[in-house]
Amino acid sequence: MAEKKQTIVIKKIIVQGGGGHGGSWKVALADFMTALMAFFLVMWIVGQSDQTKKAVSDYFSTPSVIEYNFQNFGVELTLEKLFLDLLNEPLKAFQSFMEPMDKTPNLLDMGSAKVVAAYMADQMNDVAKNVVVTPEGFDFDIPDYMLFERGTSQPNANFVQVMDKIKGVTAGLKDAEIKLTSGLFVQSVPDSSAMTANRVASQRLDIVRNKVSASLESSTVTVSGAISVKEKLGEVDPKKLVGFIKVKIAQKELTSDGRKQRKLESMFGEQKVDMSVYDNFVHQVSTRRKEEAHAKKPLKQQVDDELKDAAKSPSSLTE
């Protein structure tokens, strides 16, 4: 009897996973996490103080410093200010990319004299006269007829509007000195007497000084004042005599925490008409660096370098 052969059966089992379902669950999870973060952020803001809420609101409702500068001062001045900030205060420069523009800026902290001049021209062009910007600060005059009735210390209809413009310049200052001078001609007061002119000038000074002091946001600013009463020589029409309120703003030598103040600088020189704004910027930056490097050399080496440059350009010897 033949033996039965045992049949060997091989069973192959293939295990398959559930699959990734196309990855759509990841999108849903990301949306859920974003909504959850937004929820917790809103809950955190609700529990904060009014000051914190205002800071968050200002961040999303106002442009950054860089955006503000581009819109108001143009590309050239914004590049100059940014470059000067990077040279002097790099951390502050990078921070300014994110910071919202302060509604009451500290002009002495702008770093660029040209930006200060541009701001004054933009904000007070129809009010301020004789604007002068120096590395230490700036000053300007306000004609008395823009603030007071002629020959008196009675504020006129433009007083509030003009003082608001002055407030926009002075309110945000820190570690600064504001010097006010009330100027008046003797013949401009009704009785043309020196006593009356001195009294009117003093009253005008007190009114403006009190307004400026009340608007300051920092206690590190000092406000002082003086009067200047003069007699106009010759025959004059009192109605044509113009007095003034002079506002002189300067940095204090040191900040309240003992640091040396940063001066207002001007980096850009003459523009080349055949260059774009950016090419001018690069050219002027390189020129400034060469001048700074040249100034650090000994005097003899400076003279030798100038003679070499003159030899390379013969035309300069005949000028």
PDB file of all heavy atoms in Angstrom, residues 238-268:
ATOM      1  N   PRO A 238       2.604 150.404  15.117  1.00  0.00           N
ATOM      2  CA  PRO A 238       2.496 149.338  16.133  1.00  0.00           C
ATOM      3  C   PRO A 238       1.824 148.074  15.607  1.00  0.00           C
ATOM      4  O   PRO A 238       2.133 146.973  16.060  1.00  0.00           O
ATOM      5  CB  PRO A 238       1.644 149.997  17.226  1.00  0.00           C
ATOM      6  CG  PRO A 238       1.862 151.468  17.058  1.00  0.00           C
ATOM      7  CD  PRO A 238       2.026 151.671  15.578  1.00  0.00           C
ATOM      8  N   LYS A 239       0.918 148.225  14.635  1.00  0.00           N
ATOM      9  CA  LYS A 239       0.212 147.060  14.111  1.00  0.00           C
ATOM     10  C   LYS A 239       1.103 146.168  13.246  1.00  0.00           C
ATOM     11  O   LYS A 239       0.753 145.029  12.969  1.00  0.00           O
ATOM     12  CB  LYS A 239      -1.003 147.520  13.292  1.00  0.00           C
ATOM     13  CG  LYS A 239      -2.067 148.223  14.129  1.00  0.00           C
ATOM     14  CD  LYS A 239      -3.253 148.615  13.273  1.00  0.00           C
ATOM     15  CE  LYS A 239      -4.326 149.297  14.111  1.00  0.00           C
ATOM     16  NZ  LYS A 239      -5.504 149.701  13.282  1.00  0.00           N
ATOM     17  N   LYS A 240       2.245 146.707  12.824  1.00  0.00           N
ATOM     18  CA  LYS A 240       3.149 145.939  11.983  1.00  0.00           C
ATOM     19  C   LYS A 240       4.301 145.314  12.773  1.00  0.00           C
ATOM     20  O   LYS A 240       5.101 144.556  12.208  1.00  0.00           O
ATOM     21  CB  LYS A 240       3.710 146.824  10.863  1.00  0.00           C
ATOM     22  CG  LYS A 240       2.655 147.283   9.865  1.00  0.00           C
ATOM     23  CD  LYS A 240       3.286 148.102   8.754  1.00  0.00           C
ATOM     24  CE  LYS A 240       2.225 148.542   7.736  1.00  0.00           C
ATOM     25  NZ  LYS A 240       2.821 149.340   6.628  1.00  0.00           N
ATOM     26  N   LEU A 241       4.401 145.647  14.053  1.00  0.00           N
ATOM     27  CA  LEU A 241       5.460 145.082  14.877  1.00  0.00           C
ATOM     28  C   LEU A 241       5.099 143.650  15.275  1.00  0.00           C
ATOM     29  O   LEU A 241       3.982 143.386  15.716  1.00  0.00           O
ATOM     30  CB  LEU A 241       5.682 145.927  16.129  1.00  0.00           C
ATOM     31  CG  LEU A 241       6.255 147.330  15.897  1.00  0.00           C
ATOM     32  CD1 LEU A 241       6.346 148.090  17.212  1.00  0.00           C
ATOM     33  CD2 LEU A 241       7.635 147.236  15.247  1.00  0.00           C
ATOM     34  N   VAL A 242       6.033 142.748  15.118  1.00  0.00           N
ATOM     35  CA  VAL A 242       5.790 141.335  15.413  1.00  0.00           C
ATOM     36  C   VAL A 242       6.723 140.864  16.533  1.00  0.00           C
ATOM     37  O   VAL A 242       7.945 140.955  16.410  1.00  0.00           O
ATOM     38  CB  VAL A 242       6.011 140.458  14.156  1.00  0.00           C
ATOM     39  CG1 VAL A 242       5.790 138.990  14.491  1.00  0.00           C
ATOM     40  CG2 VAL A 242       5.084 140.904  13.035  1.00  0.00           C
ATOM     41  N   GLY A 243       6.128 140.387  17.620  1.00  0.00           N
ATOM     42  CA  GLY A 243       6.902 139.761  18.677  1.00  0.00           C
ATOM     43  C   GLY A 243       7.053 138.265  18.397  1.00  0.00           C
ATOM     44  O   GLY A 243       6.716 137.794  17.307  1.00  0.00           O
ATOM     45  N   PHE A 244       7.507 137.525  19.372  1.00  0.00           N
ATOM     46  CA  PHE A 244       7.725 136.101  19.134  1.00  0.00           C
ATOM     47  C   PHE A 244       7.780 135.332  20.446  1.00  0.00           C
ATOM     48  O   PHE A 244       8.004 135.894  21.525  1.00  0.00           O
ATOM     49  CB  PHE A 244       9.049 135.887  18.376  1.00  0.00           C
ATOM     50  CG  PHE A 244      10.257 136.395  19.122  1.00  0.00           C
ATOM     51  CD1 PHE A 244      10.929 135.576  20.028  1.00  0.00           C
ATOM     52  CD2 PHE A 244      10.718 137.692  18.936  1.00  0.00           C
ATOM     53  CE1 PHE A 244      12.028 136.029  20.725  1.00  0.00           C
ATOM     54  CE2 PHE A 244      11.814 138.161  19.636  1.00  0.00           C
ATOM     55  CZ  PHE A 244      12.475 137.332  20.538  1.00  0.00           C
ATOM     56  N   ILE A 245       7.546 134.037  20.317  1.00  0.00           N
ATOM     57  CA  ILE A 245       7.831 133.073  21.377  1.00  0.00           C
ATOM     58  C   ILE A 245       8.893 132.141  20.809  1.00  0.00           C
ATOM     59  O   ILE A 245       8.620 131.384  19.879  1.00  0.00           O
ATOM     60  CB  ILE A 245       6.583 132.261  21.787  1.00  0.00           C
ATOM     61  CG1 ILE A 245       5.504 133.170  22.376  1.00  0.00           C
ATOM     62  CG2 ILE A 245       6.971 131.172  22.787  1.00  0.00           C
ATOM     63  CD1 ILE A 245       5.864 133.802  23.708  1.00  0.00           C
ATOM     64  N   LYS A 246      10.098 132.226  21.341  1.00  0.00           N
ATOM     65  CA  LYS A 246      11.200 131.393  20.853  1.00  0.00           C
ATOM     66  C   LYS A 246      11.266 130.118  21.683  1.00  0.00           C
ATOM     67  O   LYS A 246      11.254 130.165  22.908  1.00  0.00           O
ATOM     68  CB  LYS A 246      12.530 132.140  20.941  1.00  0.00           C
ATOM     69  CG  LYS A 246      13.686 131.395  20.298  1.00  0.00           C
ATOM     70  CD  LYS A 246      14.946 132.227  20.319  1.00  0.00           C
ATOM     71  CE  LYS A 246      16.053 131.580  19.507  1.00  0.00           C
ATOM     72  NZ  LYS A 246      15.728 131.501  18.078  1.00  0.00           N
ATOM     73  N   VAL A 247      11.338 128.986  21.006  1.00  0.00           N
ATOM     74  CA  VAL A 247      11.417 127.681  21.667  1.00  0.00           C
ATOM     75  C   VAL A 247      12.760 127.052  21.313  1.00  0.00           C
ATOM     76  O   VAL A 247      13.039 126.779  20.145  1.00  0.00           O
ATOM     77  CB  VAL A 247      10.275 126.747  21.216  1.00  0.00           C
ATOM     78  CG1 VAL A 247      10.364 125.421  21.967  1.00  0.00           C
ATOM     79  CG2 VAL A 247       8.921 127.407  21.444  1.00  0.00           C
ATOM     80  N   LYS A 248      13.590 126.856  22.322  1.00  0.00           N
ATOM     81  CA  LYS A 248      14.910 126.247  22.118  1.00  0.00           C
ATOM     82  C   LYS A 248      14.949 124.925  22.885  1.00  0.00           C
ATOM     83  O   LYS A 248      14.779 124.904  24.103  1.00  0.00           O
ATOM     84  CB  LYS A 248      16.020 127.170  22.610  1.00  0.00           C
ATOM     85  CG  LYS A 248      17.422 126.640  22.349  1.00  0.00           C
ATOM     86  CD  LYS A 248      18.475 127.647  22.774  1.00  0.00           C
ATOM     87  CE  LYS A 248      19.884 127.128  22.505  1.00  0.00           C
ATOM     88  NZ  LYS A 248      20.129 126.885  21.062  1.00  0.00           N
ATOM     89  N   ILE A 249      15.161 123.842  22.171  1.00  0.00           N
ATOM     90  CA  ILE A 249      15.150 122.500  22.763  1.00  0.00           C
ATOM     91  C   ILE A 249      16.533 121.888  22.597  1.00  0.00           C
ATOM     92  O   ILE A 249      17.064 121.822  21.481  1.00  0.00           O
ATOM     93  CB  ILE A 249      14.089 121.612  22.090  1.00  0.00           C
ATOM     94  CG1 ILE A 249      12.698 122.228  22.299  1.00  0.00           C
ATOM     95  CG2 ILE A 249      14.137 120.194  22.625  1.00  0.00           C
ATOM     96  CD1 ILE A 249      11.599 121.538  21.533  1.00  0.00           C
ATOM     97  N   ALA A 250      17.131 121.451  23.692  1.00  0.00           N
ATOM     98  CA  ALA A 250      18.482 120.896  23.659  1.00  0.00           C
ATOM     99  C   ALA A 250      18.577 119.668  24.553  1.00  0.00           C
ATOM    100  O   ALA A 250      17.846 119.535  25.533  1.00  0.00           O
ATOM    101  CB  ALA A 250      19.503 121.944  24.096  1.00  0.00           C
ATOM    102  N   GLN A 251      19.481 118.783  24.198  1.00  0.00           N
ATOM    103  CA  GLN A 251      19.734 117.603  25.021  1.00  0.00           C
ATOM    104  C   GLN A 251      20.467 118.004  26.305  1.00  0.00           C
ATOM    105  O   GLN A 251      21.296 118.906  26.296  1.00  0.00           O
ATOM    106  CB  GLN A 251      20.614 116.594  24.268  1.00  0.00           C
ATOM    107  CG  GLN A 251      20.003 116.005  23.025  1.00  0.00           C
ATOM    108  CD  GLN A 251      20.994 115.120  22.278  1.00  0.00           C
ATOM    109  OE1 GLN A 251      22.192 115.307  22.371  1.00  0.00           O
ATOM    110  NE2 GLN A 251      20.477 114.152  21.545  1.00  0.00           N
ATOM    111  N   LYS A 252      20.156 117.295  27.381  1.00  0.00           N
ATOM    112  CA  LYS A 252      20.985 117.415  28.565  1.00  0.00           C
ATOM    113  C   LYS A 252      22.283 116.662  28.302  1.00  0.00           C
ATOM    114  O   LYS A 252      22.348 115.769  27.471  1.00  0.00           O
ATOM    115  CB  LYS A 252      20.271 116.846  29.780  1.00  0.00           C
ATOM    116  CG  LYS A 252      19.085 117.681  30.239  1.00  0.00           C
ATOM    117  CD  LYS A 252      18.454 117.107  31.498  1.00  0.00           C
ATOM    118  CE  LYS A 252      17.325 118.000  31.986  1.00  0.00           C
ATOM    119  NZ  LYS A 252      16.675 117.443  33.207  1.00  0.00           N
ATOM    120  N   GLU A 253      23.329 117.019  29.017  1.00  0.00           N
ATOM    121  CA  GLU A 253      24.624 116.394  28.774  1.00  0.00           C
ATOM    122  C   GLU A 253      24.577 114.885  29.006  1.00  0.00           C
ATOM    123  O   GLU A 253      25.166 114.113  28.252  1.00  0.00           O
ATOM    124  CB  GLU A 253      25.685 117.022  29.683  1.00  0.00           C
ATOM    125  CG  GLU A 253      27.092 116.546  29.374  1.00  0.00           C
ATOM    126  CD  GLU A 253      28.140 117.271  30.198  1.00  0.00           C
ATOM    127  OE1 GLU A 253      27.794 118.267  30.869  1.00  0.00           O
ATOM    128  OE2 GLU A 253      29.306 116.835  30.174  1.00  0.00           O
ATOM    129  N   LEU A 254      23.857 114.465  30.052  1.00  0.00           N
ATOM    130  CA  LEU A 254      23.729 113.051  30.372  1.00  0.00           C
ATOM    131  C   LEU A 254      22.263 112.688  30.531  1.00  0.00           C
ATOM    132  O   LEU A 254      21.432 113.542  30.863  1.00  0.00           O
ATOM    133  CB  LEU A 254      24.483 112.714  31.667  1.00  0.00           C
ATOM    134  CG  LEU A 254      25.996 112.943  31.682  1.00  0.00           C
ATOM    135  CD1 LEU A 254      26.540 112.695  33.083  1.00  0.00           C
ATOM    136  CD2 LEU A 254      26.707 112.059  30.669  1.00  0.00           C
ATOM    137  N   THR A 255      21.943 111.428  30.288  1.00  0.00           N
ATOM    138  CA  THR A 255      20.585 110.954  30.510  1.00  0.00           C
ATOM    139  C   THR A 255      20.349 110.769  32.007  1.00  0.00           C
ATOM    140  O   THR A 255      21.276 110.852  32.815  1.00  0.00           O
ATOM    141  CB  THR A 255      20.343 109.622  29.781  1.00  0.00           C
ATOM    142  OG1 THR A 255      21.229 108.628  30.325  1.00  0.00           O
ATOM    143  CG2 THR A 255      20.606 109.766  28.296  1.00  0.00           C
ATOM    144  N   SER A 256      19.121 110.478  32.380  1.00  0.00           N
ATOM    145  CA  SER A 256      18.783 110.317  33.790  1.00  0.00           C
ATOM    146  C   SER A 256      19.489 109.129  34.433  1.00  0.00           C
ATOM    147  O   SER A 256      19.666 109.082  35.649  1.00  0.00           O
ATOM    148  CB  SER A 256      17.266 110.159  33.955  1.00  0.00           C
ATOM    149  OG  SER A 256      16.790 109.106  33.136  1.00  0.00           O
ATOM    150  N   ASP A 257      19.904 108.146  33.610  1.00  0.00           N
ATOM    151  CA  ASP A 257      20.630 106.995  34.157  1.00  0.00           C
ATOM    152  C   ASP A 257      22.140 107.109  33.953  1.00  0.00           C
ATOM    153  O   ASP A 257      22.871 106.120  34.073  1.00  0.00           O
ATOM    154  CB  ASP A 257      20.120 105.692  33.538  1.00  0.00           C
ATOM    155  CG  ASP A 257      20.204 105.695  32.012  1.00  0.00           C
ATOM    156  OD1 ASP A 257      20.656 106.715  31.451  1.00  0.00           O
ATOM    157  OD2 ASP A 257      19.824 104.692  31.387  1.00  0.00           O
ATOM    158  N   GLY A 258      22.619 108.317  33.634  1.00  0.00           N
ATOM    159  CA  GLY A 258      24.052 108.576  33.584  1.00  0.00           C
ATOM    160  C   GLY A 258      24.738 108.301  32.266  1.00  0.00           C
ATOM    161  O   GLY A 258      25.965 108.411  32.175  1.00  0.00           O
ATOM    162  N   ARG A 259      24.006 107.959  31.219  1.00  0.00           N
ATOM    163  CA  ARG A 259      24.616 107.689  29.916  1.00  0.00           C
ATOM    164  C   ARG A 259      24.813 108.979  29.128  1.00  0.00           C
ATOM    165  O   ARG A 259      24.077 109.944  29.304  1.00  0.00           O
ATOM    166  CB  ARG A 259      23.752 106.720  29.104  1.00  0.00           C
ATOM    167  CG  ARG A 259      23.689 105.323  29.671  1.00  0.00           C
ATOM    168  CD  ARG A 259      22.860 104.386  28.798  1.00  0.00           C
ATOM    169  NE  ARG A 259      21.458 104.787  28.735  1.00  0.00           N
ATOM    170  CZ  ARG A 259      20.885 105.376  27.714  1.00  0.00           C
ATOM    171  NH1 ARG A 259      21.576 105.669  26.624  1.00  0.00           N
ATOM    172  NH2 ARG A 259      19.599 105.696  27.746  1.00  0.00           N
ATOM    173  N   LYS A 260      25.823 108.964  28.256  1.00  0.00           N
ATOM    174  CA  LYS A 260      26.071 110.129  27.414  1.00  0.00           C
ATOM    175  C   LYS A 260      25.043 110.181  26.295  1.00  0.00           C
ATOM    176  O   LYS A 260      24.709 109.157  25.696  1.00  0.00           O
ATOM    177  CB  LYS A 260      27.479 110.051  26.830  1.00  0.00           C
ATOM    178  CG  LYS A 260      27.910 111.329  26.114  1.00  0.00           C
ATOM    179  CD  LYS A 260      29.353 111.240  25.664  1.00  0.00           C
ATOM    180  CE  LYS A 260      29.771 112.538  24.973  1.00  0.00           C
ATOM    181  NZ  LYS A 260      31.189 112.487  24.510  1.00  0.00           N
ATOM    182  N   GLN A 261      24.562 111.375  26.005  1.00  0.00           N
ATOM    183  CA  GLN A 261      23.536 111.537  24.982  1.00  0.00           C
ATOM    184  C   GLN A 261      24.099 111.332  23.579  1.00  0.00           C
ATOM    185  O   GLN A 261      25.245 111.683  23.294  1.00  0.00           O
ATOM    186  CB  GLN A 261      22.922 112.947  25.067  1.00  0.00           C
ATOM    187  CG  GLN A 261      22.131 113.192  26.333  1.00  0.00           C
ATOM    188  CD  GLN A 261      20.670 112.849  26.158  1.00  0.00           C
ATOM    189  OE1 GLN A 261      20.331 111.838  25.561  1.00  0.00           O
ATOM    190  NE2 GLN A 261      19.803 113.678  26.686  1.00  0.00           N
ATOM    191  N   ARG A 262      23.273 110.773  22.713  1.00  0.00           N
ATOM    192  CA  ARG A 262      23.644 110.620  21.316  1.00  0.00           C
ATOM    193  C   ARG A 262      23.255 111.880  20.553  1.00  0.00           C
ATOM    194  O   ARG A 262      22.119 112.354  20.637  1.00  0.00           O
ATOM    195  CB  ARG A 262      22.928 109.407  20.725  1.00  0.00           C
ATOM    196  CG  ARG A 262      23.139 109.240  19.219  1.00  0.00           C
ATOM    197  CD  ARG A 262      22.295 108.104  18.698  1.00  0.00           C
ATOM    198  NE  ARG A 262      22.237 108.112  17.252  1.00  0.00           N
ATOM    199  CZ  ARG A 262      21.443 107.325  16.540  1.00  0.00           C
ATOM    200  NH1 ARG A 262      20.645 106.466  17.150  1.00  0.00           N
ATOM    201  NH2 ARG A 262      21.431 107.394  15.226  1.00  0.00           N
ATOM    202  N   LYS A 263      24.183 112.440  19.811  1.00  0.00           N
ATOM    203  CA  LYS A 263      23.941 113.677  19.072  1.00  0.00           C
ATOM    204  C   LYS A 263      23.150 113.404  17.790  1.00  0.00           C
ATOM    205  O   LYS A 263      23.115 112.283  17.279  1.00  0.00           O
ATOM    206  CB  LYS A 263      25.273 114.355  18.714  1.00  0.00           C
ATOM    207  CG  LYS A 263      26.165 114.667  19.905  1.00  0.00           C
ATOM    208  CD  LYS A 263      25.503 115.642  20.854  1.00  0.00           C
ATOM    209  CE  LYS A 263      26.425 116.002  22.000  1.00  0.00           C
ATOM    210  NZ  LYS A 263      25.772 116.903  22.988  1.00  0.00           N
ATOM    211  N   LEU A 264      22.535 114.456  17.279  1.00  0.00           N
ATOM    212  CA  LEU A 264      21.862 114.375  15.985  1.00  0.00           C
ATOM    213  C   LEU A 264      22.918 114.483  14.893  1.00  0.00           C
ATOM    214  O   LEU A 264      23.691 115.439  14.857  1.00  0.00           O
ATOM    215  CB  LEU A 264      20.836 115.499  15.842  1.00  0.00           C
ATOM    216  CG  LEU A 264      19.676 115.486  16.839  1.00  0.00           C
ATOM    217  CD1 LEU A 264      18.812 116.731  16.653  1.00  0.00           C
ATOM    218  CD2 LEU A 264      18.826 114.241  16.672  1.00  0.00           C
ATOM    219  N   GLU A 265      22.961 113.503  14.005  1.00  0.00           N
ATOM    220  CA  GLU A 265      23.991 113.457  12.974  1.00  0.00           C
ATOM    221  C   GLU A 265      23.410 113.711  11.596  1.00  0.00           C
ATOM    222  O   GLU A 265      22.223 113.519  11.360  1.00  0.00           O
ATOM    223  CB  GLU A 265      24.683 112.081  12.965  1.00  0.00           C
ATOM    224  CG  GLU A 265      25.360 111.722  14.275  1.00  0.00           C
ATOM    225  CD  GLU A 265      26.019 110.366  14.186  1.00  0.00           C
ATOM    226  OE1 GLU A 265      27.007 110.240  13.427  1.00  0.00           O
ATOM    227  OE2 GLU A 265      25.551 109.434  14.866  1.00  0.00           O
ATOM    228  N   SER A 266      24.286 114.119  10.685  1.00  0.00           N
ATOM    229  CA  SER A 266      23.935 114.243   9.273  1.00  0.00           C
ATOM    230  C   SER A 266      24.984 113.485   8.481  1.00  0.00           C
ATOM    231  O   SER A 266      26.149 113.887   8.451  1.00  0.00           O
ATOM    232  CB  SER A 266      23.892 115.703   8.830  1.00  0.00           C
ATOM    233  OG  SER A 266      22.790 116.367   9.392  1.00  0.00           O
ATOM    234  N   MET A 267      24.573 112.404   7.849  1.00  0.00           N
ATOM    235  CA  MET A 267      25.526 111.559   7.149  1.00  0.00           C
ATOM    236  C   MET A 267      25.602 111.889   5.670  1.00  0.00           C
ATOM    237  O   MET A 267      26.663 111.914   5.076  1.00  0.00           O
ATOM    238  CB  MET A 267      25.147 110.089   7.313  1.00  0.00           C
ATOM    239  CG  MET A 267      26.119 109.131   6.660  1.00  0.00           C
ATOM    240  SD  MET A 267      25.468 107.456   6.643  1.00  0.00           S
ATOM    241  CE  MET A 267      24.129 107.629   5.474  1.00  0.00           C
ATOM    242  N   PHE A 268      24.471 112.164   5.055  1.00  0.00           N
ATOM    243  CA  PHE A 268      24.444 112.331   3.606  1.00  0.00           C
ATOM    244  C   PHE A 268      25.076 113.663   3.197  1.00  0.00           C
ATOM    245  O   PHE A 268      24.839 114.696   3.805  1.00  0.00           O
ATOM    246  CB  PHE A 268      23.002 112.286   3.094  1.00  0.00           C
ATOM    247  CG  PHE A 268      22.506 110.885   2.898  1.00  0.00           C
ATOM    248  CD1 PHE A 268      22.830 109.886   3.786  1.00  0.00           C
ATOM    249  CD2 PHE A 268      21.709 110.571   1.818  1.00  0.00           C
ATOM    250  CE1 PHE A 268      22.367 108.593   3.605  1.00  0.00           C
ATOM    251  CE2 PHE A 268      21.240 109.283   1.631  1.00  0.00           C
ATOM    252  CZ  PHE A 268      21.578 108.302   2.525  1.00  0.00           C
TER     253      PHE A 268
END
